[in-house]
Amino acid sequence: MAADSRARRVVFVAHTGNASGAEKVMLDLVGLAVARGIRVEVVCPAGPLSARLPAEVGHVPIPELGLTGQRGLARCGAALVMFWHWVLAARALRGLIRDGRTDVVVNSTMALPAVALSGSRRRSTIWLVHDVLASTRQFAVARLGKLTAGRAVAVSERAAAPVRALGYPVEVAWLGVPWPVEPAPVVARRPAVIGILGVITAWKGQHVLLEAVAELPELTVEIAGTALPGDELYLATLHERAAAPDLAGRVRFVGQVDALSTIRGWDVLVSASVLPEAGPLVVLEAMSLGVAVVATDHGGNATDDVALCVRPDDPIALRAALRRLLDDQGLRDRLRDAGRARVAARHDRSRTLPRLFAAVFPDAVD
C-alpha cells in the first residue's frame, strides 16, 4: 500500500465477535490506520468487538467461524456448520474485495479459510498470527491459508516458528501495553487474591487453577472474562466445581472487566493455558503493574526470568508454584522488578504499535 494510495480500503477479518487479546491488538491497528487517513472496514461477528469499532469504521457482520467446546457427534455437526459459515463469510468478503484495490488483514487462524474462499489475492493479504499452531486442525487451516496469504506477521517468535516452517514469509513484531503505568501497591492481603483473566474456555485452563487452589484454603480466586459461544457448559462446570466444599465461598466470577484496574487488586496473575499461546497481553499487563505471574511454560511473554513457569495442565505443579510465590516476598519483589523492566525495554506500546503497523503495512509508512 504505497504512500500515494492511502485512499485504498483495508479490510480486517476476525473469526469471533469477542474482544480479547488478539482483537485488542486489531483494534489498535484499526485506530492507527484511521488516524493515518486509511479507509477501514472490519468483517467479524457482531459482539463486543464490533461495538468497540471507531465510528469511521464500517462493520460487515458474519457468523462465528471457529469451533469451541463441542464434543463427539456435536463437534462433527459443528464442523459442518463452521464450513457453511466460512462460505457465508467468503460471500461477504467477495463483495468488498472485487475492486482489486483492497488489502486484507486476517486477524485469526480460523478466518483464513473464509478469506481463501473469497478469492483474495496473495499479494494483498496479510495473516496477523496471534496463535501458536499446535493442533492438526490448526495446521490444516494454516496450509489452506497459503492459497490466500502472501506473508505473515507474528506477535512473537514462538508464534512465528511453526508458520515459518510451513513456508510463509514471516516477520516478528512484539506486542506492547501502555507504559509507563503506576505500579500496583504492595498490600498484605488476607486472604491473598489469585486472578485469571481471559475468555472462559477449556484451553485457557480455568479448571486447572481451581484444582490447584482447592488445596490452598488460604487463597481466594477471581475468574475474569466471559464464555465463548459453545462454552456455556464449561462455564457451568466451573461454577459447579467452585461450589464444592473445598472451594465454596473462595471463588468469584467477575465477568468482563477493565484489565489493569482489576489486576491491580490481585496478588498473583495466573496464565494457565493448556495449549500454547504466543504471548498473552494479560501477562504483559500484569508485568507492567509489577503483579507476579505464574504461567504455563509455553514461551512467549512468560519466561523464567520474569515469571514462575509450570507444566501445562498440571494442577500440582501450579499449586506448588503458587505456594512458593506467596511464601517468598523476596521472589515476588524480584519478579515485580524484572517484569516492569521487561515491559519498559521491549513492550512499550508507544513503540511496539508503530512497529507492528509498519510490519503489516510497510508501504503506508512515510
Side-chain angles (χ1 to χ4, degrees), residues 33-125:
V34 169
R36 297 193 178 197
I38 297 171
R39 182 183 174 192
V40 177
E41 295 188 64
V42 172
V43 177
C44 71
L49 174 57
S50 59
R52 293 176 59 179
L53 294 175
E56 306 93 327
V57 173
H59 172 231
V60 178
I62 58 171
E64 293 277 341
L65 300 180
L67 292 172
T68 51
Q70 299 90 354
R71 295 289 184 271
L73 290 177
R75 192 167 181 84
C76 294
L80 293 175
V81 172
M82 180 178 64
F83 179 79
W84 177 239
H85 287 178
W86 285 340
V87 172
L88 294 177
R91 289 179 181 174
L93 274 166
R94 198 172 295 126
L96 296 176
I97 65 175
R98 64 164 59 100
D99 62 3
R101 292 179 55 80
T102 300
D103 293 289
V104 178
V105 180
V106 189
N107 197 61
S108 48
T109 303
M110 296 309 293
L112 283 169
V115 180
L117 290 170
S118 75
S120 180
R121 299 169 304 158
R122 293 185 76 250
R123 65 184 179 86
S124 61
T125 304

Side-chain angles (χ1 to χ4, degrees), residues 98-265:
R98 64 164 59 100
D99 62 3
R101 292 179 55 80
T102 300
D103 293 289
V104 178
V105 180
V106 189
N107 197 61
S108 48
T109 303
M110 296 309 293
L112 283 169
V115 180
L117 290 170
S118 75
S120 180
R121 299 169 304 158
R122 293 185 76 250
R123 65 184 179 86
S124 61
T125 304
I126 306 99
W127 177 21
L128 187 52
V129 185
H130 300 276
D131 305 316
V132 178
L133 302 182
S135 68
T136 301
R137 174 168 56 93
Q138 285 178 313
F139 275 101
V141 168
R143 289 188 179 95
L144 178 61
K146 291 183 71 177
L147 297 174
T148 189
R151 59 188 181 89
V153 176
V155 299
S156 72
E157 184 56 44
R158 181 74 178 84
V163 175
R164 191 178 289 120
L166 290 177
Y168 283 87
V170 185
E171 183 174 351
V172 176
W174 293 100
L175 294 180
V177 292
W179 182 262
V181 294
E182 187 71 21
V186 178
V187 179
R189 295 183 183 87
R190 294 292 183 270
V193 180
I194 308 302
I196 186 168
L197 191 158
V199 293
I200 296 179
T201 187
W203 73 267
K204 284 287 191 177
Q206 287 91 353
H207 62 288
V208 181
L209 175 59
L210 291 185
E211 291 305 323
V213 173
E215 295 186 21
L216 297 173
E218 68 276 23
L219 301 183
T220 293
V221 177
E222 289 192 350
I223 298 177
T226 56
L228 293 170
D231 276 320
E232 295 84 2
L233 180 59
Y234 177 68
L235 177 58
T237 301
L238 293 178
H239 277 280
E240 182 179 356
R241 181 66 184 92
D246 54 357
L247 284 170
R250 295 198 290 125
V251 181
R252 295 191 290 266
F253 293 84
V254 297
Q256 201 73 35
V257 297
D258 176 76
L260 290 183
S261 62
T262 300
I263 297 169
R264 283 183 185 279

